[in-house]
C-alpha cells in the first residue's frame, strides 16, 4: 500500500458508503435548501439589499451546510468501532487525513455546485462572465474549510457534545476563509476587475496550504489510540 | 528538567505577586493622578494605562499557551499541560477585560462601542478560540487525551491568529479608510513611564496567577490519582478478605 493508494482507498470507501446510504449528501442538500429559502424570504423583498448581501448569504449557507457534512464524516466511523481500526491500521495517519479531507471536499463541492443555481434563480444573479473564477473561489474556500474541518471533525467525534463542539471550534478559526470568500465572491458577482479582489484569492491559497500541512502533521496526535 | 525548573521558580511566587502589586499601584498613581490629561482626549485617555497593558498581557498569556502546547506535545509532561490549562483560563480573563476596557475607551473617543478594527476582530476571535479550548477540555472524557487534543487546538489557533489579523486588516482598508487613529498621542516620558510600569505589573501578575493556578491544577490531579489508588486498595483488601 503506497501513500497515495491509501488516500484513494479512504476516498473510495467514503464514496461507496455514501452512494449506498445517501445520508450525508441528502441531509446537507435539504438543510441548505431550507437555509436558502429562509434567506430568500428574508431578503428578496428588497432586491438591492439582497444584491449587497448575497455573497455573505452564499457563504453562511455553504459554511453551515459544510459543518453538517464534516460532522458526519467521522461519526460514520463510530459504527462498528471503525475508528479504532483506523487508529490501529499501520497506514500513515496523514494519508488517512488527506483521504478524509478529499472526501469531505468532494461532498461539499457537490452540494455547493448543486445549490448555486438556486441562488442564481432566487436572487436573480448575473454570473455568465465570472463562472470560472467563482468556481475557483468555491474550490479554494472549501479546501480551507475542509482542511481545518476534517481535523476538528476527527477531534470532536471522540468527545462529548460533539455536535456543539465542531462549530464552536471550527467557525472562529474559519474567520479568514469566510472574510476572503465573501469578499472575492462579491468582487466576482459585481463584475469588478480581477486585480481588485485577487488578493483574497491569494489569501485563500495561503490559508489552504498552511492548514493542510499543519493538519496533516497534527492529525496523527488526534487519531492515536 | 522543566518540572524541576517550575518547582524551583514556584518558591519565589510570593515575590512575583508583591512586585506586581507594587508596580500596579505605582503605575495607577502615575497614570491616574500624576500624568497630564491628553491634548485631544482629555481625562479619558487615562483608561489607556489599564487597557493597553491588559491587551499585551492577554497576548502574552496566549503565547504562553501556544508555546506550552508545543512543549507538551514534545515532552508530554503533565505539569506543562496544567500550565497550559492555567494560561488558557487567564487568557480568557485578560482578553475579556481588554475588550471591555477597549469598548469603554472607544465610546467617547471614536463615538462607538465597537468597530471592525483588525485588533478588535483578532481579540474577539481569540476570546472565542480560548473559550472553545476550555470547553473542549471539559468535554474530553479520556484523561490521557485531554492534553493532546487541547494542545492541537491551541496550536492551530496560534497559527491562525496572525492570519485573522491580516485578513481583518485588508478587509477593513478595503471598505473604508481607517477613521481611527491615536490622533496626536505622542509618547512622551510622562505617558511612557506609567504605561511601561503598568505593563510590567500586569505581566508579573500574569506570571503570579499562572504559578498559583498551575500548582492548584497539579495538586488537584495528584489528589484524584491518590484517591483512585486508595479506593482500589480498599476494594482489593475487601475482595481478598
Amino acid at each position: 500500500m503506497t501513500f497515495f493508494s491509501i488516500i484513494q482507498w479512504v476516498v473510495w470507501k467514503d464514496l461507496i458508503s455514501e452512494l449506498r446510504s445517501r445520508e450525508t449528501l441528502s441531509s446537507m442538500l435539504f438543510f441548505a435548501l431550507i437555509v436558502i429559502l429562509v434567506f430568500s424570504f428574508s431578503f428578496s423583498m428588497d432586491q438591492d439589499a439582497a444584491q449587497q448581501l448575497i455573497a455573505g448569504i452564499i457563504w453562511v449557507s455553504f459554511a453551515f451546510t459544510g459543518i453538517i457534512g464534516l460532522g458526519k464524516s467521522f461519526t460514520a466511523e463510530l459504527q462498528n468501532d471503525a475508528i479504532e481500526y483506523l487508529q490501529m491500521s499501520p497506514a500513515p495517519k496523514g494519508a488517512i487525513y488527506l483521504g478524509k479531507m478529499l472526501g469531505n471536499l468532494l461532498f461539499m463541492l457537490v452540494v455547493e455546485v448543486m445549490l448555486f443555481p438556486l441562488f442564481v434563480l432566487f436572487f436573480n444573479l448575473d454570473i455568465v462572465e465570472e463562472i470560472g473564477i467563482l468556481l475557483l473561489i468555491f474550490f479554494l474556500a472549501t479546501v480551507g474549510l475542509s482542511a481545518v474541518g476534517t481535523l476538528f471533525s476527527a477531534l470532536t467525534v471522540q468527545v462529548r457534545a460533539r455536535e456543539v463542539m465542531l462549530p464552536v471550534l471550527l467557525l472562529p478559526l474559519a474567520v479568514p476563509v469566510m472574510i476572503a470568500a465573501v469578499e472575492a465572491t462579491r468582487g466576482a458577482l459585481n463584475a469588478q476587475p480581477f486585480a481588485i479582489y485577487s488578493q483574497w484569492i491569494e489569501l485563500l491559497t495561503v490559508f489552504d496550504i498552511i492548514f493542510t500541512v499543519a493538519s496533516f502533521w497534527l492529525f496523527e496526535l488526534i487519531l492515536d489510540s | 528538567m522543566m518540572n524541576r525548573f517550575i518547582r524551583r521558580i514556584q518558591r519565589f511566587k510570593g515575590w512575583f505577586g508583591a512586585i506586581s502589586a507594587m508596580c500596579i499601584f505605582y503605575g495607577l498613581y502615575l497614570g491616574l493622578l500624576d500624568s497630564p490629561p491628553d491634548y485631544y482626549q482629555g481625562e479619558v485617555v487615562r483608561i489607556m494605562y489599564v487597557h493597553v497593558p491588559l491587551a499585551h498581557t492577554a497576548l502574552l498569556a496566549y503565547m504562553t499557551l501556544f508555546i506550552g502546547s508545543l512543549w507538551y506535545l514534545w515532552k508530554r509532561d503533565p505539569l506543562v499541560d496544567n500550565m497550559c490549562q492555567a494560561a488558557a483560563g487567564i487568557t480568557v480573563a485578560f482578553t475579556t477585560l481588554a475588550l471591555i476596557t477597549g469598548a469603554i475607551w472607544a465610546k467617547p473617543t471614536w463615538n462607538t462601542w465597537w468597530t471592525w478594527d483588525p485588533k478588535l476582530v483578532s481579540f474577539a476571535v481569540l476570546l472565542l478560540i480560548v473559550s472553545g479550548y476550555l470547553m473542549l477540555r471539559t468535554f474530553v472524557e479520556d484523561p490521557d487525551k485531554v492534553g493532546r487534543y487541547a494542545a492541537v487546538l491551541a496550536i492551530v489557533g496560534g497559527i491562525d491568529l496572525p492570519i485573522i489579523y491580516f485578513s481583518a486588516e485588508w478587509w477593513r482598508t478595503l471598505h473604508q479608510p481607517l477613521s481611527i487613529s491615536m490622533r496626536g498621542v505622542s509618547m512622551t516620558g510622562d505617558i511612557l513611564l506609567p504605561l511601561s510600569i503598568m505593563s510590567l505589573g500586569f505581566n508579573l501578575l500574569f506570571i503570579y496567577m499562572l504559578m498559583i493556578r498551575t500548582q492548584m491544577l497539579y495538586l488537584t490531579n495528584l489528589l484524584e490519582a491518590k484517591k483512585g489508588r486508595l479506593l482500589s486498595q480498599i476494594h482489593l483488601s475487601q475482595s481478598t478478605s
Side-chain angles (χ1 to χ4, degrees):
Chain A
M1 289 285 270
T2 63
F3 190 84
F4 286 101
S5 65
I6 290 165
I7 298 177
Q8 253 174 354
W9 277 112
V10 174
V11 176
W12 183 238
K13 166 189 83 69
D14 279 359
L15 272 180
I16 289 283
S17 68
E18 180 57 34
L19 285 172
R20 282 180 190 157
S21 69
R22 297 197 196 84
E23 207 177 282
T24 309
L25 277 177
S26 58
S27 53
M28 281 167 86
L29 272 170
F30 274 111
F31 177 80
L33 200 63
I34 290 161
V35 171
I36 293 176
L37 281 176
V38 169
F39 272 129
S40 51
F41 293 148
S42 317
F43 295 119
S44 62
M45 290 296 124
D46 189 347
Q47 273 297 333
D48 293 341
Q51 291 301 329
Q52 286 294 310
L53 295 168
I54 186 68
I57 294 172
I58 288 173
W59 281 104
V60 168
S61 320
F62 285 176
F64 285 179
T65 312
I67 282 178
I68 288 191
L70 289 164
K72 282 189 177 292
S73 165
F74 278 89
T75 41
E77 306 288 351
L78 287 177
Q79 289 169 6
N80 305 332
D81 291 335
I83 197 155
E84 295 188 11
Y85 292 103
L86 283 180
Q87 286 168 347
M88 283 189 295
S89 75
K93 300 289 184 287
I96 296 175
Y97 164 76
L98 287 175
K100 274 290 187 188
M101 181 198 142
L102 286 174
N104 288 332
L105 176 68
L106 202 68
F107 292 156
M108 283 157 85
L109 280 174
V110 165
V111 172
E112 285 169 16
V113 168
M114 286 166 94
L115 287 173
F116 189 59
L118 288 178
F119 281 110
V120 177
L121 194 78
F122 284 139
F123 291 93
N124 191 20
L125 301 177
D126 193 10
I127 52 145
V128 182
E129 308 271 308
E130 285 84 14
I131 191 73
I133 203 79
L134 275 171
L135 284 175
L136 175 72
I137 295 164
F138 286 4
F139 174 77
L140 288 173
T142 310
V143 168
L145 283 177
S146 90
V148 185
T150 305
L151 182 76
F152 284 123
S153 170
L155 198 155
T156 50
V157 80
Q158 303 179 65
V159 307
R160 275 178 305 156
R162 66 177 72 102
E163 294 80 8
V164 183
M165 282 314 285
L166 180 61
V168 161
L169 299 183
L170 178 59
L171 286 174
L173 294 168
V175 163
V177 177
M178 294 303 282
I179 291 178
V182 169
E183 290 301 331
T185 308
R186 178 180 293 138
L189 287 176
N190 293 346
Q192 288 174 347
F194 181 68
I196 288 185
Y197 58 88
S198 63
Q199 62 170 359
W200 296 114
I201 291 175
E202 287 161 25
L203 177 74
L204 284 174
T205 314
V206 169
F207 185 97
D208 291 356
I209 292 167
I210 290 175
F211 282 96
T212 307
V213 172
S215 306
F216 176 83
W217 290 113
L218 290 168
F219 190 72
E220 194 163 337
L221 295 161
I222 284 173
L223 202 74
D224 190 11
S225 37
Chain B
M1 138 73 211
M2 188 60 196
N3 241 319
R4 273 215 308 276
F5 173 72
I6 290 178
R7 290 214 174 100
R8 195 166 297 166
I9 205 169
Q10 284 277 23
R11 262 186 268 157
F12 302 106
K13 70 169 181 287
W15 287 103
F16 282 91
I19 296 171
S20 145
M22 283 193 290
C23 283
I24 289 173
F25 279 120
Y26 185 53
L28 280 176
Y29 162 74
L30 285 179
L32 298 184
L33 300 170
D34 203 41
S35 68
D38 183 60
Y39 181 73
Y40 288 103
Q41 297 182 21
E43 304 292 349
V44 173
V45 78
R46 299 190 190 283
I47 198 170
M48 175 182 77
Y49 299 116
V50 179
H51 170 71
V52 173
L54 277 173
H56 283 175
T57 313
L59 286 179
L60 175 74
Y62 194 79
M63 279 286 288
T64 311
L65 171 60
F66 180 72
I67 293 165
S69 298
L70 285 169
W71 199 320
Y72 175 73
L73 290 181
W74 180 39
K75 290 285 186 195
R76 297 293 165 92
D77 182 345
L79 188 65
V80 177
D81 186 42
N82 295 334
M83 190 191 77
C84 289
Q85 193 180 348
I90 303 168
T91 310
V92 169
F94 276 96
T95 310
T96 309
L97 286 171
L99 285 168
I100 291 170
T101 49
I104 293 169
W105 192 15
K107 187 62 187 169
T109 44
W110 302 338
N111 200 18
T112 171
W113 296 107
W114 183 265
T115 169
W116 291 105
D117 178 73
K119 285 195 179 93
L120 274 68
V121 175
S122 317
F123 264 78
V125 177
L126 172 66
L127 183 60
L128 291 175
I129 291 172
V130 186
S131 307
Y133 175 96
L134 289 173
M135 270 173 84
L136 181 70
R137 287 201 80 108
T138 57
F139 283 136
V140 181
E141 275 154 349
D142 187 345
D144 302 334
K145 288 179 178 172
V146 172
R148 219 177 338 132
Y149 287 5
V152 167
L153 174 62
I155 289 166
V156 174
I159 299 169
D160 209 3
L161 267 182
I163 304 177
I164 290 167
Y165 182 84
F166 280 116
S167 59
E169 194 169 35
W170 280 359
W171 184 47
R172 179 88 198 167
T173 48
L174 187 92
H175 280 280
Q176 60 241 65
L178 286 169
S179 56
I180 293 158
S181 66
M182 291 281 297
R183 275 197 315 264
V185 178
S186 57
M187 283 285 183
T188 51
D190 44 11
I191 289 179
L192 199 61
L193 181 70
L195 203 57
S196 338
I197 290 176
M198 285 296 281
S199 276
L200 180 68
F202 272 128
N203 286 349
L204 288 171
L205 177 68
F206 159 68
I207 295 170
Y208 178 61
M209 288 164 88
L210 186 74
M211 284 173 166
I212 289 184
R213 182 87 179 118
T214 305
Q215 201 171 19
M216 203 174 113
L217 290 165
Y218 179 75
L219 291 173
T220 311
N221 289 353
L222 201 70
L223 191 68
E224 284 295 319
K226 278 199 194 303
K227 211 158 65 179
R229 273 206 296 276
L230 205 67
L231 281 172
S232 63
Q233 269 175 6
I234 293 167
H235 188 74
L236 278 172
S237 62
Q238 277 175 343
S239 58
T240 48
S241 58

